Amino acid sequence: MLDITSLWLFILAVFLLSVTPGPDLAYVVGQSVTNGRRAGVISAAGVALGSCTHALASVIGLTALIAASPMIFTVVKFAGALYLIYLGTRFILGSFGNADAENAEQRRIRKNARLQDLLARGFITTLTNPKVLLFFVSFFPQFVVPGGDYQAESFLILRIDIHPCGLSY
């Protein structure tokens, strides 16, 4: 038996947190509006990978270690803020660039590199999002029995079954 408590309350709370906009949701929506559905889906996949990384880090205790150290937590917050500033600046400066004539092969190579870039950006945006870090440290453990035999499994099941995308953190 898993060590999950108050599953219905967990589902309600995760729903409410999911509809609260955050940097990840803003990133995905921005990419979708600017570059189309495919860019939005790839960006969302990057966000989901970052969220899954946070889930695994919380299971092994790394997330709690980061949150327990004010200096490390501050570094993560500032890294996230600087990364968002970098993305915004790059977007603004890129919009002023001129469209060079390219052949089909150059466009295909650039498009594939761009999709990989979108995936990486979504991943990094989530990884440096302090809201996600705090979610896994303070909110998640409330729904798992302390000292239970299946804590790690319970954390992973809650993460996978209830909220696999993690788009709004």
Side-chain angles (χ1 to χ4, degrees):
M1 189 73 176
L2 293 174
D3 298 326
I4 300 172
T5 62
S6 304
L7 184 60
W8 69 272
L9 187 59
F10 178 77
I11 293 170
L12 177 65
V14 167
F15 172 75
L16 292 174
L17 284 171
S18 296
V19 297
T20 306
D24 296 336
L25 181 64
Y27 171 70
V28 172
V29 169
Q31 289 302 320
S32 299
V33 169
T34 305
N35 300 310
R37 185 183 318 169
R38 186 173 187 189
V41 169
I42 297 294
S43 298
V47 168
L49 285 173
S51 189
C52 288
T53 302
H54 268 292
L56 291 174
S58 70
V59 167
I60 63 172
L62 182 60
T63 305
L65 180 67
I66 292 171
S69 169
M71 184 183 73
I72 295 174
F73 186 70
T74 301
V75 167
V76 170
K77 283 192 325 186
F78 280 111
L82 289 173
Y83 187 66
L84 289 175
I85 291 169
Y86 162 76
L87 290 178
T89 304
R90 190 168 159 193
F91 174 75
I92 290 170
L93 294 177
S95 65
F96 292 119
N98 56 1
D100 295 351
E102 295 180 299
N103 65 32
E105 181 65 19
Q106 288 172 326
R107 280 194 302 273
R108 186 186 62 76
I109 290 170
R110 204 174 93 206
K111 183 177 180 181
N112 287 339
R114 178 143 169 68
L115 291 176
Q116 292 170 353
D117 191 37
L118 290 172
L119 185 73
R121 286 183 194 172
F123 179 77
I124 293 170
T125 300
T126 301
L127 218 53
T128 58
N129 184 348
K131 184 179 170 187
V132 178
L133 184 73
L134 289 175
F135 174 78
F136 282 107
V137 170
S138 62
F139 180 76
F140 230 37
Q142 297 176 42
F143 297 97
V144 177
V145 175
D149 294 330
Y150 300 101
Q151 282 185 319
E153 294 88 347
S154 297
F155 276 114
L156 289 174
I157 293 296
L158 286 175
R159 179 69 196 125
I160 293 168
D161 286 346
I162 304 304
H163 197 60
C165 290
L167 292 179
S168 65
Y169 298 129

